[in-house]
Amino acid sequence: MQKFISPFLVLAMAGIISCSKSVITQPVHEDKPFVQDYSVKYYSDTVRQNLIQSASDKNGLIKIVSSEGLLHPYNGHFQYHGTIAPDQSYRFLRDKKIKAVISYQDQFVYLSDSVVFANAWAGTVFIKHDLPDAKVFEGGKNFDFLVSDGKSLQLVQKNQTPWTGSLSGDNVLEIRFNQADNQFWILGSKTLSVFDPASKNLKKVFDGTHFSSFDLYKKGTVAMIGTTDGYLEYDIATQKQAGEIHRKLPVTNITSVKVINDKLWFGTVDGAFSLRADGKYDYYNGERWLPGNRVKQITKGPANSVLFLTNAGLGQLHFKDMTLEQKALFYEGQVRKLHIRNGFNATVRGMDHGNLSTGFMEDSDNDGLWTSMYLGAEIFRYAVTKDSSALQNCRESMEAMERLYSVNPVPGFPARSFERAGHVNELGDSEFWQQSAEKEWVWKSTTSSDEAIGHIFAFGAMAELVQDPDLKSRAVTMIDTLMSHIVKNDMYMIDYNGKPTLWGKWNPSYVNSFPVNVGDRKLNSSNIIAMLQTAYHFTKKEKYKEKAFELMTKHGYFENLMRPMELIGKAPEDATAHAKHMSDGWNHSDDEMYFLGYWGLYRYALNDTLKARYKETIIDHWKAERPEKEGAWNIFTALTGTDTFDLNEAVWYLQEHPLDMIDWRIRNSHRKDIEKIEPNFRKQTITEVLPASERPIQRHNGNTFNLDRNSSNGTSAQSAGDIWLLPYWLGRYLGVISAPVSK
């Protein structure tokens, strides 16, 4: 029985109906400098060194007091760990029993078992005290210091008799000097007190329980008190607690409170966090940021940095003004130095605890896909900048992509990857590796639809945008090569064994075997139409256009690809086991395939009417993705010309992404400042997605709502080539992200 073809669709295919065109002005992000954070870590000998306190001075030096004497951080750089070594700069300090160090007037001042002293001011600061077990002190006005051994308090001043007192029924934890009222504020485990050095009056002002640390905030008008179960605010003017205790925090067991440059920081038993202007928190957890998660102390560091003394060493968090383009060029250097394997965009594996020198670039089932996405980034970069290095990178990755087709014996069939045969025993999935006719090389079979759509996306972008006759010609040849193979083989990719690969299937008998609400039916229809349109656009071979129309009109592919995302879900009870398996939850790899395919679906549409309808389905998909705030999907949506595509969230993704691409262990599921939701089809875990800086490193086929990475710690490093550079340079090419704007 012949299928009914709607008159509208016939007209659409013929291009008789024209879509109305209106001028839409898209928003543009002006690329002004933003603050980029990154960490330098210094690891300590946790067996010998018990780190107690740290401080920095005006010269950029950092001192650490430990059970083994005075130490300092040594030879640390971003992604290259430093160590903590004995500080021998002042050799006679070895004779001093140093218990604490502070920065006073931007100079180091030390507390020993008998004196407060400094090497600055020509060594003239040398003030005796009578507390041999002293361990806490703070500097006031005119070189007066309040010292404590945890029980007693003593005010010491040059040439004056010390004052001694104590907290009634409490022990001293920390002391802060308030410039606003020229008084010392003292925190005990259950009290807050104030001491006036002029009148020598000590007074308790506030009672509580389980206090752990505090600092003075808002120009000395508020005392922020950390406890083992949240933090509270004490208003100094009203002498009362302001509001309820704060417990909706990343971690409530607080170990350190510090105000640095008017920003409030908290150290905890499980990482650190800072209070943002919007009342939410930036959370720093795992060795992406800290050498150890138990924070002992937070202090101001040199050059706008923050120091975190932890159970495993010292973390130094740096803040640097950077534009998105500067970030892109940083990532570009990172990719070229660490991630280019035979022209492929590769992951580094086998690392020893984040040591980049110990890893190797691994082959991947998706070498063709990840490289297509990096190649796309370099194509857009070249289209925008005409940078010769971008063009050379295109050539090198193009060579790798072309060799996927020549390294195996099947005409028009791309391998997943290739590698030297001498190491085949070390490769995973060894049953899929085949010997190449090229001596010393093997190639990987079972190529999937992920690869195919990635190839066509990159080849299409190159054929259109790279003004190099040789590369353009080669790109068109590769499009024709792959699509001829697929069309010739009845819409399958045929492997070396003469059989279709597991996923390389676009034949109607396969695609339409899925129930209408199973995503693969929509996805495969969308992808193959995009691929056929791309092939026709660049080759002008009628077989591609005819096949696209045939699939859309006779086999329902137009209806399939236009199906609203809200209808996609689990297969019904009477569906096949395969359909049920393929619809057990939202597939984020499918999202990646859709959006890469949208480049050819929309840009190379066979007529304007189809283009308008494609725009509808792309925006419908984007609406479903909006909660994830995925930078690439937001910017890909901009290719339709829509003025609504969540540009701010895309820029947020780009700005928040960490410079450190190592797969460190990350934990968020324990946080009390996030609102969890019940398990669902989309696999969304919390009401609002966390920034990329707080999430595990992942590619675009990952779920942005993944909270934890509990597996290996620092054993691999991902490439920014596909993860970051693609959405950024696509945004630049589409004009929704500007070139850097001068201040």
Side-chain angles (χ1 to χ4, degrees):
M1 180 178 177
Q2 187 175 7
K3 278 196 172 185
F4 172 78
I5 305 173
S6 77
F8 172 80
L9 193 54
V10 172
L11 293 174
M13 301 310 158
I16 296 174
I17 297 177
S18 62
C19 61
S20 61
K21 295 183 179 180
S22 58
V23 177
I24 296 175
T25 303
Q26 290 185 300
V28 178
H29 170 72
E30 290 191 346
D31 187 16
K32 298 178 181 179
F34 63 96
V35 178
Q36 176 67 56
D37 48 4
Y38 66 93
S39 179
V40 176
K41 299 180 288 291
Y42 301 87
Y43 286 85
S44 62
D45 182 342
T46 56
V47 175
R48 293 188 308 106
Q49 299 169 335
N50 175 31
L51 308 184
I52 299 170
Q53 197 177 28
S54 66
S56 67
D57 74 350
K58 60 183 290 188
N59 302 314
L61 298 174
I62 300 170
K63 306 291 185 181
I64 301 171
V65 174
S66 79
S67 58
E68 294 294 308
L70 199 61
L71 310 173
H72 68 151
Y74 172 71
N75 200 30
H77 307 277
F78 174 63
Q79 289 196 319
Y80 293 89
H81 311 327
T83 59
I84 293 177
D87 186 340
Q88 301 178 12
S89 54
Y90 281 87
R91 53 182 172 168
F92 295 114
L93 288 187
R94 290 175 296 181
D95 301 328
K96 298 288 185 185
K97 295 180 181 179
I98 297 176
K99 303 296 184 68
V101 60
I102 61 172
S103 177
Y104 180 76
Q105 297 182 11
D106 284 332
Q107 301 281 10
F108 291 121
V109 178
Y110 302 96
L111 173 69
S112 79
D113 58 345
S114 58
V115 295
V116 173
F117 71 99
N119 295 312
W121 304 286
T124 57
V125 176
F126 191 86
I127 308 171
K128 292 184 178 181
H129 66 79
D130 302 320
L131 302 176
D133 295 322
K135 56 185 178 182
V136 180
F137 78 124
E138 175 71 320
K141 238 178 133 179
N142 300 323
F143 293 92
D144 53 349
F145 296 89
L146 189 61
V147 180
S148 176
D149 59 4
K151 298 177 183 178
S152 299
L153 288 158
Q154 189 168 86
L155 178 69
V156 294
Q157 301 163 296
K158 283 185 177 181
N159 306 317
Q160 293 191 32
T161 303
W163 168 91
T164 301
S166 65
L167 300 182
S168 177
D170 202 2
N171 57 314
V172 175
L173 297 179
E174 293 180 341
I175 307 170
R176 298 285 185 265
F177 183 72
N178 193 350
Q179 299 281 354
D181 59 14
N182 290 324
Q183 297 186 111
F184 289 95
W185 289 77
I186 305 141
L187 185 74
S189 59
K190 54 186 178 181
T191 60
L192 179 67
S193 302
V194 62
F195 174 70
D196 183 353
S199 65
K200 308 295 191 295
N201 180 47
L202 175 63
K203 179 176 66 173
K204 182 179 73 172
V205 296
F206 185 62
D207 288 297
T209 57
H210 305 297
F211 293 166
S212 58
S213 180
F214 87 120
D215 205 357
L216 301 174
Y217 190 43
K218 297 181 179 178
K219 299 182 179 179
T221 62
V222 177
M224 307 298 288
I225 303 174
T227 78
T228 57
D229 189 25
Y231 74 89
L232 56 89
E233 304 177 33
Y234 175 81
D235 188 298
I236 291 176
T238 63
Q239 299 184 13
K240 293 180 180 179
Q241 179 176 331
E244 300 295 320
I245 190 167
H246 298 267
R247 290 194 177 95
K248 196 174 181 181
L249 311 172
V251 182
T252 57
N253 192 342
I254 294 170
T255 57
S256 180
V257 180
K258 189 65 177 177
V259 176
I260 300 174
N261 297 329
D262 296 325
K263 189 169 187 176
L264 186 61
W265 287 90
F266 299 90
T268 78
V269 297
D270 201 355
F273 60 90
S274 61
L275 179 63
R276 299 197 322 232
D278 62 2
K280 298 179 182 180
Y281 302 96
D282 290 323
Y283 184 43
Y284 298 87
N285 171 277
E287 290 180 77
R288 175 185 297 164
W289 304 110
L290 307 171
N293 257 358
R294 188 175 185 88
V295 178
K296 297 183 175 185
Q297 180 206 29
I298 301 176
T299 52
K300 182 179 179 181
N304 198 33
S305 68
V306 178
L307 304 178
F308 301 86
L309 201 66
T310 77
N311 58 307
L314 181 77
Q316 185 174 10
L317 192 60
H318 293 263
F319 299 90
K320 180 179 180 180
D321 285 347
M322 180 180 285
T323 64
L324 287 176
E325 185 176 84
Q326 287 172 326
K327 191 169 184 176
L329 296 177
F330 169 84
Y331 277 139
E332 187 67 54
Q334 192 180 70
V335 171
R336 302 309 300 183
K337 290 176 183 177
L338 299 173
H339 297 284
I340 300 300
R341 181 186 73 86
N342 298 328
F344 289 126
N345 174 40
T347 298
V348 176
R349 298 282 185 193
M351 291 160 45
D352 178 15
H353 196 237
N355 186 342
L356 293 166
S357 68
T358 60
F360 63 89
M361 292 180 290
E362 72 160 0
D363 65 274
S364 166
D365 278 3
N366 295 117
D367 271 341
L369 176 60
W370 309 143
T371 305
S372 293
M373 295 171 78
Y374 171 60
L375 177 55
E378 293 303 285
I379 291 167
F380 297 132
R381 177 185 166 205
Y382 178 70
V384 169
T385 67
K386 298 300 183 288
D387 190 321
S388 60
S389 66
L391 185 61
Q392 180 57 28
N393 295 342
C394 288
R395 289 195 183 97
E396 293 176 14
S397 289
M398 186 65 177
E399 289 169 354
M401 298 291 291
E402 289 172 321
R403 195 175 178 207
L404 289 172
Y405 292 79
S406 63
V407 75
N408 78 82
V410 184
F413 179 79
R416 281 187 180 273
S417 183
F418 54 79
E419 189 52 277
R420 296 188 184 276
H423 301 282
V424 70
N425 292 332
E426 298 180 21
L427 299 170
D429 300 325
S430 58
E431 69 272 22
F432 299 130
W433 287 94
Q434 310 298 323
Q435 182 63 53
S436 173
E438 299 180 23
K439 185 180 179 182
E440 195 177 291
W441 292 91
V442 291
W443 63 278
K444 197 167 191 180
S445 59
T446 72
T447 307
S448 75
S449 52
D450 305 57
E451 312 305 303
I453 191 63
H455 290 209
I456 295 299
F457 157 70
F459 296 151
M462 178 171 283
E464 179 184 359
L465 302 178
V466 176
Q467 302 306 311
D468 179 279
D470 175 60
L471 283 176
K472 291 175 76 73
S473 174
R474 287 159 59 186
V476 174
T477 297
M478 297 316 301
I479 293 170
D480 195 27
T481 297
L482 175 56
M483 295 311 297
S484 288
H485 172 92
I486 292 172
V487 172
K488 176 183 176 182
N489 289 292
D490 200 19
M491 309 312 293
Y492 292 108
M493 280 203 297
I494 302 299
D495 214 334
Y496 73 99
N497 56 10
K499 299 178 181 179
T501 65
L502 180 61
W503 305 115
K505 300 174 181 178
W506 300 272
N507 184 280
S509 63
Y510 174 78
V511 173
N512 289 331
S513 69
F514 290 104
V516 294
N517 70 324
V518 172
D520 285 65
R521 183 163 177 157
K522 175 180 171 70
L523 170 67
N524 286 30
S525 298
S526 179
N527 272 187
I528 194 60
I529 297 304
M531 293 159 69
L532 289 166
Q533 288 185 162
T534 303
Y536 175 71
H537 182 87
F538 290 105
T539 69
K540 300 305 179 186
K541 292 184 178 181
E542 289 295 321
K543 65 179 179 179
Y544 298 126
K545 182 168 73 172
E546 291 171 0
K547 179 59 68 173
F549 283 152
E550 175 192 332
L551 293 175
M552 285 194 284
T553 59
K554 293 183 179 180
H555 299 289
Y557 279 32
F558 180 77
E559 181 183 356
N560 289 344
L561 70 87
M562 290 297 299
R563 188 163 289 114
M565 274 292 173
E566 66 179 4
L567 300 180
I568 302 303
K570 290 181 180 282
E573 286 300 317
D574 60 351
T576 65
H578 181 57
K580 290 179 180 178
H581 171 69
M582 296 299 292
S583 61
D584 61 348
W586 198 267
N587 190 319
H588 298 277
S589 287
D590 288 358
D591 292 329
E592 186 170 64
M593 295 169 65
Y594 274 117
F595 279 95
L596 289 177
Y598 289 156
W599 177 265
L601 187 71
Y602 181 81
R603 202 166 182 91
Y604 310 132
L606 295 172
N607 59 56
D608 285 347
T609 301
L610 280 175
K611 195 170 193 177
R613 298 303 306 278
Y614 294 155
K615 179 177 180 177
E616 292 175 18
T617 197
I618 293 170
I619 292 176
D620 173 74
H621 186 180
W622 166 75
K623 288 179 179 178
E625 297 295 329
R626 292 185 77 179
E628 295 194 14
K629 299 184 180 181
E630 222 291 349
W633 309 159
N634 286 329
I635 291 176
F636 263 101
T637 301
L639 73 87
T640 66
T642 179
D643 60 350
T644 305
F645 55 92
D646 287 348
L647 176 60
N648 289 340
E649 282 75 8
V651 171
W652 176 75
Y653 170 93
L654 294 171
Q655 290 182 342
E656 286 287 335
H657 212 282
L659 296 180
D660 187 344
M661 300 290 285
I662 294 173
D663 284 316
W664 293 110
R665 188 173 295 135
I666 297 290
R667 291 180 61 249
N668 287 292
S669 56
H670 62 284
R671 294 173 62 165
K672 292 180 172 58
D673 64 327
I674 57 178
E675 185 178 346
K676 297 180 181 179
I677 60 178
E678 293 297 317
N680 53 81
F681 182 74
R682 282 199 61 87
K683 301 180 181 178
Q684 183 173 341
T685 57
I686 54 178
T687 55
E688 184 177 358
V689 69
L690 295 171
S693 58
E694 298 176 20
R695 303 194 305 257
I697 292 291
Q698 61 185 30
R699 289 189 147 104
H700 297 295
N701 64 343
N703 181 4
T704 61
F705 286 97
N706 286 336
L707 296 177
D708 300 338
R709 176 185 169 86
N710 294 314
S711 56
S712 55
N713 191 29
T715 59
S716 59
Q718 300 290 335
S719 170
D722 52 291
I723 295 174
W724 198 94
L725 291 175
L726 175 60
Y728 169 71
W729 285 114
L730 175 58
R732 285 289 302 274
Y733 172 72
L734 294 175
V736 297
I737 298 175
S738 78
V741 177
S742 59
K743 291 184 179 180

